[in-house]
Amino acid sequence: MNELRMILQREARRLMEAGQVDVVIGYARGPYAWTTAPFFAFNKNDCIHLTVSSFCTQNLSVYLPKVEGRVAIIAKPCDVRTIIELIQDNQVRRENVKILSFRCPGMLNPKVLEEKGVSPDQAGTVSSKDYPEALYDWCRVCIHREPPDADLKGEPRFLFEKTDYPMPADPTTLADRLEKKTPAERLNFWMGEFARCIRCKACMHSCPVYYGGGDQFDSIEGATGENQPAENFKIVLSFVHSLAGKCTECGACESACPVRIPLLALHIPMYRKMQQRYGGYEPGLSYDEVSPLLKAEPMPQIVEGG
Amino acid sequence: MGVSERRLTILGILCEHAGAQAAETAGMEGLIYSPDVRLMRLLCAADIDHLLILNALWEGVDGIFVVGCPTERGYFRGCSELAQRRLQAMKDVLEVAGLPAERFRTLWIEASDGKGFVSFVNSFYEDIKRLGPWNGFRGKGE
């Protein structure tokens, strides 16, 4: 990860010096151990603070529609896919964005690392090469480790380096385990999880392709109301349905959740269902292919009733 | 039906140009379906807010059905196809969440097909009767 950080810093500095961009959006060291925070570099000297590690779980493309001018952005491959979604939806113009991406080793869960006795001092260097079992659920099932589009032309060697990042021995995720349960057990599980929800809507604000922002739910009975878990579950199901055919499984919503509700266990099965139904469609891989939910064509097979 | 047993509530969401017309046709033909079915009409089946369906389920509606235009003959261009895709995704969300997806059903029908409408409603009503009442989440909060 150290080498990657140097390359991205150098590229960001080069773009700044050449006057090709006004701002570089990237990650810097966060306030707490293991964390990274979004960082906006407005001049070339700021670029020294840019970093990239195995804990960059935020999706920075959420800032793109809000930033004016020419932007360079450091993005993981899943973030690049959301940028492509944004460009398809006319939220962002491709010529204003320079995408600095890389071959992603996957993001790691600090909790698992701490259990294995890794100290937070190693946060800058540790990667899934050493601890594949610490990968987050959505990185376990990810098969798109290379960005579908990138501007980091200077260093193709690193970008498409065929490093073999090992997958964990046990690739099952919470989504798979829930799928085997009965519907009643699943509902019970989710009710237990959403009893913790504080309705901060961080999941919705952290998602680049969810345009609702969650403010439309302010009128629903408050988070302390009588039916709190069910009401919280309802607004999140609305969120999940809005993202059908758009979610790229970047995991920003789950990592933004202050009470760690495993939201990707809702998104991953939806992603798979959309993929099965619409001929292996995966969002954000090309500029031409639009979401199947926006296509006015007959369904591949119409499921009547049931 | 016993005294303690409550009547079923079934919500029918009809598109104005096919579903509601089919219901009108059924009425003109004198066809009968259960009075527990309450109908509401919207401009288009593709315009259904997902919160409408979720709210109904949460409030304890026992069954929800949507009736819209037939495939490739929608009143608006492509409205039936879009609605089918969106509502199928809604059904998937309910399945993933562990909610009773079998209580939600769709029908794509011609405006003149009153008979088809009534037979669909009757078979759906029988299925819901077999499933029993669904109480939603009223009073289940902690």
Side-chain angles (χ1 to χ4, degrees), chain A residues 55-262:
Chain A
F55 309 98
C56 301
T57 44
Q58 301 105 322
N59 189 341
L60 297 181
S61 56
V62 71
Y63 298 116
L64 275 185
K66 296 163 194 162
V67 176
E68 285 180 10
R70 296 158 305 160
V71 189
I73 181 166
I74 293 175
K76 309 188 291 291
C78 42
D79 305 352
V80 176
R81 288 169 65 193
T82 59
I83 295 173
I84 292 178
E85 291 278 305
L86 288 172
I87 292 166
Q88 277 185 358
D89 292 352
N90 285 331
Q91 300 291 311
V92 177
R93 295 168 74 86
R94 180 70 185 87
E95 59 266 28
N96 289 346
V97 185
K98 289 261 185 257
I99 303 170
L100 310 182
S101 190
F102 48 91
R103 196 180 145 78
C104 178
M107 296 297 126
L108 302 183
N109 189 347
K111 229 177 227 171
V112 181
L113 288 176
E114 267 170 5
E115 278 167 19
K116 294 194 170 293
V118 185
S119 89
D121 305 336
Q122 290 169 267
T125 52
V126 70
S127 84
S128 67
K129 239 181 244 179
D130 319 309
Y131 299 98
E133 61 281 355
L135 281 172
Y136 277 115
D137 268 6
W138 56 93
C139 292
R140 276 165 197 251
V141 296
C142 175
I143 55 167
H144 301 288
R145 296 284 174 107
E146 283 171 17
D149 187 13
D151 288 316
L152 190 56
K153 292 287 190 292
E155 296 283 346
R157 177 183 63 81
F158 196 87
L159 186 56
F160 297 114
E161 186 188 17
K162 293 288 174 203
T163 324
D164 195 25
Y165 293 116
M167 297 301 278
D170 176 27
T172 51
T173 61
L174 179 61
D176 297 313
R177 292 197 290 280
L178 282 177
E179 212 171 358
K180 290 199 188 88
K181 291 186 178 177
T182 64
E185 283 172 339
R186 238 177 293 160
L187 187 58
N188 233 346
F189 170 83
W190 285 117
M191 281 300 150
E193 291 291 322
F194 280 94
R196 302 208 306 274
C197 178
I198 55 172
R199 193 102 50 91
C200 61
K201 293 171 282 191
C203 46
M204 300 172 192
H205 287 295
S206 67
C207 181
V209 289
Y210 182 67
Y211 306 128
D215 295 344
Q216 70 271 38
F217 302 120
D218 284 352
S219 58
I220 297 179
E221 181 190 358
T224 52
E226 186 200 345
N227 294 331
Q228 183 203 355
E231 296 291 316
N232 296 338
F233 193 28
K234 179 169 77 183
I235 66 169
V236 169
L237 284 186
S238 158
F239 171 60
V240 172
H241 181 249
S242 304
L243 288 183
K246 285 164 102 187
C247 176
T248 63
E249 297 182 339
C250 67
C253 49
E254 184 174 329
S255 55
C257 181
V259 292
R260 289 286 176 267
I261 294 172

Side-chain angles (χ1 to χ4, degrees), chain B residues 1 25 33 67 72 80 84 86 101 106 112 114 135 138 142:
Chain B
M1 191 179 280
T25 314
Y33 49 87
V67 186
E72 291 190 313
S80 177
Q84 284 170 27
R86 272 177 66 86
T106 53
S112 55
N135 291 319
R138 278 242 169 122
E142 288 165 359

Side-chain angles (χ1 to χ4, degrees), chain B residues 11 15 17 40 42 50 76 79 88 93 101 104 114 124 126 133-134 140:
Chain B
L11 175 67
C15 118
H17 301 103
M40 68 182 275
L42 284 182
H50 39 231
F76 303 107
C79 75
Q88 186 61 50
V93 169
F104 176 58
F124 185 56
E126 289 304 315
W134 157 260
K140 281 196 185 169

Side-chain angles (χ1 to χ4, degrees), chain A residues 186 230 234 241 277 292, chain B residues 50 55 58 85-86 92 95:
Chain A
R186 238 177 293 160
K234 179 169 77 183
H241 181 249
R277 187 161 292 119
Chain B
H50 39 231
N55 276 337
W58 256 243
R85 283 160 186 254
R86 272 177 66 86
D92 291 345
E95 256 167 48

